[in-house]
Amino acid sequence: MNKTHPLLDGIVFFILLSGVWYASQFWPWARIMIALWLILFFVSRMKENDVLLKIHTLICFIACSASLWSFADQLIPNLPFHFIIGTWLGLAGFVCFNSFTGDQKEFIPHPTPASLSATIWPSATLTSCLLLATVGGWMMIHRFLNGLFDKPFYWEWWTSPTWAVISIMSFYPATLPRFVSRTERKLIKYLMPILMLSVASVHAIRFYTLNSTDDPGKGSPVSEQAFRFGYQNLGIQAAIRETLDIQTKKGWADAIHYLRRQWQYADKVMFAKAWRSHPDAGKDLFFFATCFGCTLMLQAEEEAVDFVVIPKKQAYVILTSRGRLLRMDTNGVECFFVCSEPCISLAYTQAGNRFAVLSQNNSIYVIEGNKNQKRISLPDKRQWADRIWDDLEWKDIAFSPKGSSLFVLDDHGTVEKLTLVFFANRWARWTEPDYPPLWGEAGTAEAILPMSDGQSLLLLDRVGGIHWRGEPAALPENFTTDNLMKYYNANDANKEDLTFWKNENELLLLSNTCRLDFITSRPVDMKDSRGVAGRYDLYLDPIPSLRAHLTFDRKTGVKRYPSNAVAVVSLPQADTIVQLVRNGTLLVHAMPNGVRMNFPDKAARVYIPKNQDE
């Protein structure tokens, strides 16, 4: 009979015990270990035979590998790129050495089988080759896919799989029959029930304690401790309760920051599903849309064309191509106004709670409150510089910061200003436009953005150029030609909207491909390399562009960007940027890293009540 190698005397028993520590600390891992211990318990109580011995050895091998993996994964921090690559090269060199020399060396020596027929597994060298090829191949595929879809890839993610490979290679029994000694099999038979009962009792008591209290002590909230111990559903529900409490005490912006910090513990989609199903939080669509994004379920052949956000009222108002104004706030969603004409642009001012809707029929509807409206007609042709334009198309509309003026943009770059006459309660339009046209050809101008002075504004054209409309002396010093034309590209006419990011020194440009570009700079007094004082642009911490997600056409197999974004708003108090897509989807970017929430799940769908659809 073959004797067990001295290195193996008792090692299985103690390695199995090492797995108890992490199993008692993390519930998902505890379930795996309890299942393995339960199988070992039943197998060890059966009458021994050759097949049963091999099954027992197989389960011991899996349990030992899992125990070592968990122990190393928790105690050893994430490894840097060079260490991971070095480890993999070392493992590959060890396997190659065995394959060329013909020696079946193993990390931990195993006894020789009683006969060749007893060996039912492939050799350790062959298994190691397959293991390295499988895990390493998946690592390279993961790296390739992340690069293809413009997602980050961190080599530190592969620390845990590296320890898994080392654990399996260490305990792989090329020869099964005597991997576990008879003494260890007897100990396992009596020890397994104790381990299962102990670990299960620890988790049951801890789960009940966390579930029945709002203050577990130890200076950390319930959600943090629940996630730490692996109680994911409990942690998500606790995080939502804590978020609602912060929202009540500190406001929605702080609550969004808090909830997003919990995303490191569980998938964002699980948080979104739990929020929509929560009895107290589910109806708050403003918070849900700002934190996760959503998709409004519009009518057939209806598209979203523009939207505004009203932070003080915690509401989004979306304008559709059929003239419906949809409000999403803390009480759900409703349609509160329907225009009789197809619409293209929307503006809002807190002064008088007014909305302005620009229709395709050259009309403006000014809505005060929910129902009262005034209609303003715009010209459908214009004469300028001895030329008559009969192809006039109005593109955008915007209120001045104080709400007393209304700017309207046509596709030639002309900006007309309508002023509210308070004593007559009507909007007056002057004979001549405030800002003459910039282009003779139609279809060039795209959007306008009023400045804080209420007189001047920025104009965005289709190819990414930003133009100053106002007194030259009032032009802010940081808006240099280089800054305003930073993203100008005459061959790429896809710009859709323009807004401020955190202040007037930071601009945000939206392309219809859902790409977001930033312009961030401010002028400062400084000296150049020759010591000459002057006024120079100091670029703030650069914000990289948020690129659109690539999509694939299944029929042609062509990789392309979407072309359906129509508007963008910013919520700097929540470090959030929200895009509107034509199908009614609000795409949310959580800054500063630009994490994008877009999940094709039923929890993201927002249905408009049927009585509001008419």
Side-chain angles (χ1 to χ4, degrees), residues 483-500:
N483 286 340
L484 297 181
M485 295 296 168
K486 182 177 181 180
Y487 295 103
Y488 174 83
N489 185 350
N491 298 319
D492 190 14
N494 66 357
K495 295 297 184 289
E496 287 286 345
D497 202 6
L498 175 71
T499 190
F500 296 117

Side-chain angles (χ1 to χ4, degrees), residues 266-277:
D267 185 32
K268 297 184 288 293
V269 177
M270 297 185 66
F271 277 104
K273 291 180 179 179
W275 185 273
R276 288 302 302 276
S277 61

Side-chain angles (χ1 to χ4, degrees), residues 425-445:
N425 194 24
R426 67 183 183 87
W427 293 85
R429 173 177 164 269
W430 308 113
T431 304
E432 297 294 335
D434 280 48
Y435 302 111
L438 292 177
W439 302 279
E441 63 276 8
T444 304

Side-chain angles (χ1 to χ4, degrees), residues 66-179:
S67 297
L68 183 62
W69 179 15
S70 67
F71 200 78
D73 192 36
Q74 290 302 305
L75 292 184
I76 300 178
N78 287 338
L79 303 176
F81 165 77
H82 299 290
F83 196 94
I84 290 180
I85 294 299
T87 301
W88 278 83
L89 291 176
L91 294 175
F94 175 81
V95 173
C96 291
F97 175 79
N98 279 350
S99 92
F100 284 118
T101 60
D103 296 333
Q104 299 298 316
K105 296 183 180 296
E106 298 167 338
F107 284 1
I108 297 180
H110 298 88
T112 304
S115 63
L116 293 176
S117 62
T119 304
I120 63 172
W121 283 7
S123 66
T125 300
L126 177 59
T127 303
S128 299
C129 289
L130 294 175
L131 187 64
L132 290 176
T134 302
V135 180
W138 171 240
M139 185 189 302
M140 294 298 103
I141 292 174
H142 188 197
R143 175 68 181 89
F144 171 76
L145 292 177
N146 279 35
L148 184 65
F149 290 100
D150 301 323
K151 295 182 179 180
F153 177 85
Y154 303 103
W155 285 98
E156 293 81 2
W157 293 344
W158 290 90
T159 299
S160 183
T162 300
W163 285 116
V165 169
I166 294 175
S167 301
I168 294 174
M169 291 178 63
S170 300
F171 290 98
Y172 178 78
T175 55
L176 293 180
R178 295 294 179 266
F179 181 64

Side-chain angles (χ1 to χ4, degrees), residues 505-581:
N505 289 321
E506 300 177 329
L507 296 177
L508 182 60
L509 279 71
L510 172 69
S511 303
N512 62 9
T513 59
C514 298
R515 177 187 175 100
L516 292 170
D517 296 306
F518 296 85
I519 297 176
T520 56
S521 67
R522 63 166 177 255
V524 294
D525 292 313
M526 57 185 300
K527 294 182 179 180
D528 61 14
S529 58
R530 298 169 298 174
V532 178
R535 194 75 163 164
Y536 301 94
D537 270 344
L538 174 66
Y539 284 86
L540 306 176
D541 294 336
I543 305 176
S545 297
L546 304 180
R547 291 180 287 181
H549 287 195
L550 291 171
T551 58
F552 286 91
D553 189 329
R554 294 184 178 181
K555 294 182 179 179
T556 63
V558 176
K559 181 175 64 175
R560 62 183 179 83
Y561 290 104
S563 57
N564 48 16
V566 293
V568 61
V569 298
S570 63
L571 290 163
Q573 61 269 55
D575 291 328
T576 299
I577 299 171
V578 186
Q579 300 178 23
L580 177 66
V581 183

Side-chain angles (χ1 to χ4, degrees), residues 106 121 166 240 294 305 332 337-338 386 408 416 452 476 610:
E106 298 167 338
W121 283 7
I166 294 175
I240 291 177
C294 68
V305 296
F337 178 81
V338 179
D386 298 328
V408 192
E416 291 209 8
S452 58
K610 290 185 178 180

